[in-house]
Amino acid sequence: MTELIDRLKSLSPDQLRGMCRGIEKESLRVQPNGSLAMTPHPVTLGSALTHPHVTTDFSESQLELVTGAHSQVESCIHELTQIHQFVYRAIGDEWLWASSMPCSLPAEEVIPIGQYGRSNVGQAKSIYRKGLAHRYGRRMQTISGIHYNWSMPGLSDADYFGLIRNFRRQSFLLLMLFGASPALASDFVSSPQHGLIPFDEHTLHLPHATSLRMGRLGYQSDAQSTLAVSYNSLNGYAESLQQALTQPYPPYDAIGLQDEYGRYKQLSTSLLQIENEFYSTIRPKRVIRTGERPLHALRERGVEYVEVRCMDLNPFMPIGIDADTVRFLDVFLLHCLMSPSPLDTPQEIAEWGRNQLAVAARGRAPGLELERQGQFVSLKDWALQILNECLQIAQALDNHQGLALYCNSVTRALERMHDFSMLPSARVLSQMSEISKAGHHGHTDFTMRRSIANRQALSAIDWPAEIQNRFEQEALASMQAQLDIESGDPRPFESFRKDYLSAEHLVPAHSSAGG
């Protein structure tokens, strides 16, 4: 604890004030009956290719709402709220599905893949998603979550990778505190070996689960489990990813690049088509330049921020997250940054994976133990140790602001760890149980009710005409930006694809690394 506080004191007030955060929030568009909306991305929302704040993730039906980078927690939440308000005014009688696990889905082959226009970059985005569908299935891609982007001035690549290693060691705590997907609609799974327990006729669950989204049924890949990615340095991380991006992977080679009619089935036959395909609870990131590969940007200019990827949508919050959660994430990431961070090993990386699956499926089970450096320890004891250390960090942050907001967020987390019934995952199951007793479908009807309540809450917030006009102008500008890209894009797609995926674009010009 003393070492942690000493390191915290080494941060300057300017660094603490300079913390920045941004949020990317995914949600399915659904019809009033709770089924997936099969309508195209609404034109009134602008271009999914070029709009800075409203785009799509995997599916045409899966919105992704993106804030800018904010130095103030409240302004970040305010912007995300306004984006939601604009979206609801543009999607008519559709809703945004409030849970991470999807609504009732149509047949696999008709789940609509995102469309981004006829430019080469737009076609590449759609073909990449076709590759995801072939590799993992469309249903898995409809799972939604929240990505939290965080940075602090004055940090080195080594600082960020130390943070990432500690985050991977301790991210089980976020699944416990914020996991909110302990159940799903029974039609989501087809294999009888799913290991879930019926909750009612239309719902499956695990009684002590926190986040099925982060478990075996969520964003997992047996193929990617062969990737031995180390987070000990930027170079090691980049080399691991480069191999996965450039070496053919036999099962994906068997899928083929194109069908018999010449239509593309995937962007490449390597283990990863592009960098974004790599599934991880946290990623080192850097803003890329036009046409630049993310891995090249990291190697050329270093880590700019980290992207936290293990947060479920909280169905009890109108925009899926609130300021209290954001403040806790700030404190937790500072704890990961300030704590000693020994280099990882293949054995420890395997431990982290087993811990994640255990907490996702059984996190609230009494007496659950996790692995820590070859020893089994109580999940609750480990979590309370981290939280008590986080409280010291929160106090230091509050001292800078003259408020107790950060301390309050950690105190509430401590309360939930002492009383698991207060955790979002437990609250979801409790409310589902009440709904089922009344003869309704647990997961579906619970989420429909929360989706309606969230829309009503957002509709009740003041919406000035000048804000509506600003969003409308932004949407129109994005449509024009897409047209400009399409009119200045003469190259044949295959030439564009080969050039973009070339190994030489993964390394800086001064590097001799190859592919």
Side-chain angles (χ1 to χ4, degrees):
M1 177 74 80
T2 302
E3 183 178 358
L4 179 68
I5 298 304
D6 287 343
R7 294 192 68 188
L8 184 64
K9 289 178 180 177
S10 71
L11 295 177
S12 70
D14 285 344
Q15 281 183 289
L16 292 176
R17 283 192 294 266
M19 278 194 303
C20 271
R21 74 281 296 157
I23 296 172
E24 304 167 30
K25 188 250 191 178
E26 304 156 354
S27 293
L28 293 175
R29 287 187 293 111
V30 298
Q31 298 175 357
N33 65 0
S35 62
L36 187 70
M38 303 297 285
T39 49
H41 183 67
V43 174
T44 47
L45 291 177
S47 165
L49 177 67
T50 57
H51 198 293
H53 301 300
V54 184
T55 182
T56 52
D57 193 66
F58 169 77
S59 173
E60 276 289 276
S61 312
Q62 188 177 35
L63 286 172
E64 183 173 348
L65 311 184
V66 184
T67 74
H70 292 264
S71 61
Q72 298 295 321
V73 172
E74 291 78 9
S75 66
C76 186
I77 292 296
H78 180 65
E79 183 183 20
L80 187 59
T81 300
Q82 285 195 335
I83 298 171
H84 276 79
Q85 290 176 279
F86 171 66
V87 165
Y88 267 125
R89 282 163 172 77
I91 62 175
D93 62 355
E94 295 175 354
W95 309 333
L96 299 183
W97 191 245
S99 291
S100 281
M101 299 308 288
C103 60
S104 180
L105 296 172
E108 173 89 7
E109 63 274 10
V110 298
I111 295 172
I113 289 173
Q115 300 298 312
Y116 303 93
R118 57 184 177 82
S119 67
N120 283 331
V121 67
Q123 290 183 68
K125 287 172 73 72
S126 290
I127 294 167
Y128 164 62
R129 285 156 174 76
K130 289 180 182 178
L132 298 178
H134 283 295
R135 295 170 178 217
Y136 315 109
R138 300 189 186 200
R139 304 179 86 79
M140 188 185 92
Q141 300 297 319
T142 62
I143 298 171
S144 297
I146 283 177
H147 299 169
Y148 187 69
N149 301 317
W150 184 91
S151 68
M152 174 180 279
L155 299 186
S156 66
D157 292 343
D159 291 331
Y160 275 118
F161 273 88
L163 180 160
I164 289 170
R165 290 193 298 275
N166 277 338
F167 182 95
R168 285 164 57 80
R169 290 181 175 105
Q170 301 175 359
S171 59
F172 74 90
L173 181 58
L174 299 184
L175 270 61
M176 281 295 294
L177 291 173
F178 304 111
S181 55
L184 47 78
S186 54
D187 65 2
F188 180 75
V189 294
S190 56
S191 169
Q193 283 76 45
H194 51 65
L196 302 177
I197 299 170
F199 186 89
D200 58 33
E201 185 181 356
H202 300 278
T203 306
L204 296 169
H205 82 304
L206 289 175
H208 298 112
T210 60
S211 176
L212 295 181
R213 168 178 169 266
M214 296 302 298
R216 294 190 183 281
L217 289 173
Y219 271 97
Q220 302 292 321
S221 166
D222 290 338
Q224 290 189 28
S225 66
T226 63
L227 266 175
V229 176
S230 170
Y231 294 84
N232 289 334
S233 69
L234 174 55
N235 284 341
Y237 174 82
E239 287 170 5
S240 298
L241 282 194
Q242 175 160 341
Q243 183 173 358
L245 288 162
T246 55
Q247 301 300 315
Y249 182 65
Y252 299 158
D253 220 13
I255 293 172
L257 193 64
Q258 296 171 289
D259 65 17
E260 63 270 29
Y261 303 105
R263 295 172 300 200
Y264 287 91
K265 300 166 76 173
Q266 51 187 341
L267 275 181
S268 77
T269 61
S270 53
L271 181 58
L272 302 177
Q273 299 172 88
I274 58 175
E275 292 89 330
N276 283 353
E277 190 173 344
F278 177 50
Y279 297 141
S280 179
T281 55
I282 185 170
R283 290 176 181 163
K285 296 291 287 282
R286 173 144 215 122
V287 174
I288 61 173
R289 298 165 180 164
T290 302
E292 186 180 31
R293 295 292 297 270
L295 194 55
H296 178 276
L298 276 177
R299 282 170 154 165
E300 182 78 41
R301 303 186 298 282
V303 183
E304 186 175 5
Y305 64 97
V306 292
E307 178 190 44
V308 173
R309 300 169 50 81
C310 60
M311 298 294 290
D312 283 356
L313 305 184
N314 189 324
F316 301 106
M317 298 171 182
I319 60 172
I321 191 170
D322 65 359
D324 197 64
T325 304
V326 168
R327 289 191 184 92
F328 183 87
L329 288 171
D330 288 347
V331 173
F332 182 77
L333 289 166
L334 276 174
H335 181 272
C336 293
L337 175 67
M338 295 290 99
S339 300
S341 184
L343 299 181
D344 61 39
T345 65
Q347 294 76 22
E348 190 181 21
I349 292 171
E351 278 187 358
W352 301 342
R354 291 191 292 269
N355 284 347
Q356 177 179 323
L357 294 178
V359 176
R362 298 181 287 116
R364 288 178 290 107
L368 179 64
E369 293 186 328
L370 301 180
E371 298 175 64
R372 185 170 65 185
Q373 297 178 333
Q375 304 293 320
F376 281 94
V377 298
S378 160
L379 177 153
K380 188 171 184 178
D381 289 347
W382 191 1
L384 291 175
Q385 174 193 335
I386 296 169
L387 288 173
N388 282 314
E389 292 172 355
C390 283
L391 194 57
Q392 304 298 311
I393 295 173
Q395 288 170 348
L397 289 174
D398 284 337
N399 287 340
H400 281 279
Q401 300 182 353
L403 300 169
L405 298 175
Y406 280 100
C407 281
N408 289 342
S409 71
V410 179
T411 299
R412 280 187 275 270
L414 281 162
E415 291 170 352
R416 292 195 293 272
M417 283 306 303
H418 283 294
D419 181 0
F420 285 0
S421 69
M422 298 171 64
L423 295 170
S425 55
R427 292 179 61 202
V428 168
L429 291 180
S430 175
Q431 292 203 14
M432 279 175 41
S433 181
E434 294 301 315
I435 288 170
S436 290
K437 287 177 184 176
H440 301 288
H441 304 163
H443 178 262
T444 297
D445 285 338
F446 162 76
T447 308
M448 287 174 66
R449 293 182 185 194
R450 291 311 316 160
S451 302
I452 294 170
N454 291 345
R455 176 165 188 163
Q456 290 173 341
L458 288 163
S459 298
I461 300 173
D462 186 45
W463 185 247
E466 60 267 24
I467 303 298
Q468 175 69 23
N469 183 63
R470 175 167 62 82
F471 273 93
E472 288 175 353
Q473 292 304 311
E474 199 168 44
L476 289 172
S478 74
M479 298 293 285
Q480 183 59 52
Q482 177 176 328
L483 291 174
D484 292 345
I485 292 172
E486 290 173 348
S487 64
D489 199 7
R491 262 196 305 176
F493 177 76
E494 179 61 10
S495 172
F496 168 87
R497 186 193 71 85
K498 286 182 176 179
D499 179 59
Y500 182 76
L501 296 180
S502 170
E504 68 187 48
H505 292 319
L506 296 174
V507 296
H510 56 74
S511 172
S512 61

